Amino acid sequence: QPPCSTCNTSPRLPTLGNHLAMRYRLVAKSFGGVGCTSTIRGAVRHTLQTDLPTQMGGGDSAAQPIEALLASLLGCKVATAHYVARHLWARPHNRFESIEFADVEAVRDPRGALHLPITEPPPSPPGLTRVSGVARVHLPAGSPLTADDVAVLGRVVEQRCPIAAMLAAAGVEMDMEWVPGGAAPL
């Protein structure tokens, strides 16, 4: 089969079958015990930090790794939703103003990571078991889009968002309600 017509076929880029694969490169270094600074090695170098609260042995200088994962999940859903809306809804109504995520909550059993003795299997998985919340999609004034349209957007985003897909594949229950949010907040 010929390569995908929308893909560049440079031999330096990894492929999945006949399609190009996305590659992400990072370097990281720990600091202050349990803190970590990660640098994304791309055209623009961004830096992210994570740490733990002081009661968990950290310096509380940055978000916990799980919190960074959740922030990445929501950012990925926003980016995916913009792409999906452009291809799902008819022009000129194929855009939204913003998405406001409310009451987002993630649940995990800490015994999965903290169980002792450390060489024994933990009584529960160490990862997240559930992520829930509400995604309020703020549509432009006068938009003819309905609550059903927003719900379909949410279903497609949950299928297409790479981070949501990874979490779902890991067995995390994903329960995000997608609803119209009215006028965009100031």
Side-chain angles (χ1 to χ4, degrees):
Q1 282 184 336
C4 172
S5 63
T6 61
C7 298
N8 176 349
T9 58
S10 169
R12 294 176 304 206
L13 298 176
T15 60
L16 294 170
N18 288 330
H19 301 278
L20 292 181
M22 297 294 294
R23 180 184 302 180
Y24 304 92
R25 297 178 56 210
L26 293 84
V27 295
K29 184 173 181 178
S30 66
F31 68 86
V34 297
C36 182
T37 299
S38 299
T39 303
I40 291 88
R41 299 179 64 198
V44 176
R45 291 182 182 242
H46 296 286
T47 301
L48 302 171
Q49 288 192 325
T50 59
D51 200 355
L52 292 178
T54 53
Q55 67 267 28
M56 295 174 70
D60 205 15
S61 66
Q64 295 182 51
I66 290 286
E67 295 165 336
L69 172 67
L70 293 169
S72 296
L73 169 65
L74 300 181
C76 190
K77 286 184 182 212
V78 167
T80 303
H82 279 284
Y83 177 80
V84 170
R86 285 195 315 269
H87 297 280
L88 179 66
W89 297 333
R91 289 183 181 177
H93 307 290
N94 62 342
R95 305 239 188 260
F96 54 85
E97 299 289 330
S98 65
I99 300 177
E100 176 186 3
F101 291 96
D103 303 319
V104 175
E105 180 178 74
V107 177
R108 73 178 181 93
D109 184 340
R111 297 175 302 159
L114 305 176
H115 178 73
L116 295 175
I118 203 72
T119 56
E120 289 185 10
S124 61
L128 295 174
T129 57
R130 185 169 194 265
V131 176
S132 62
V134 176
R136 292 189 183 104
V137 179
H138 297 281
L139 302 168
S143 174
L145 297 170
T146 66
D148 287 342
D149 295 322
V150 172
V152 170
L153 172 73
R155 280 195 299 277
V156 177
V157 167
E158 297 299 329
Q159 294 169 350
R160 297 288 186 118
C161 171
I163 295 175
M166 285 189 298
L167 290 171
V172 178
E173 178 188 346
M174 304 295 285
D175 185 20
M176 189 69 62
E177 181 183 9
W178 289 72
V179 297
L186 299 177

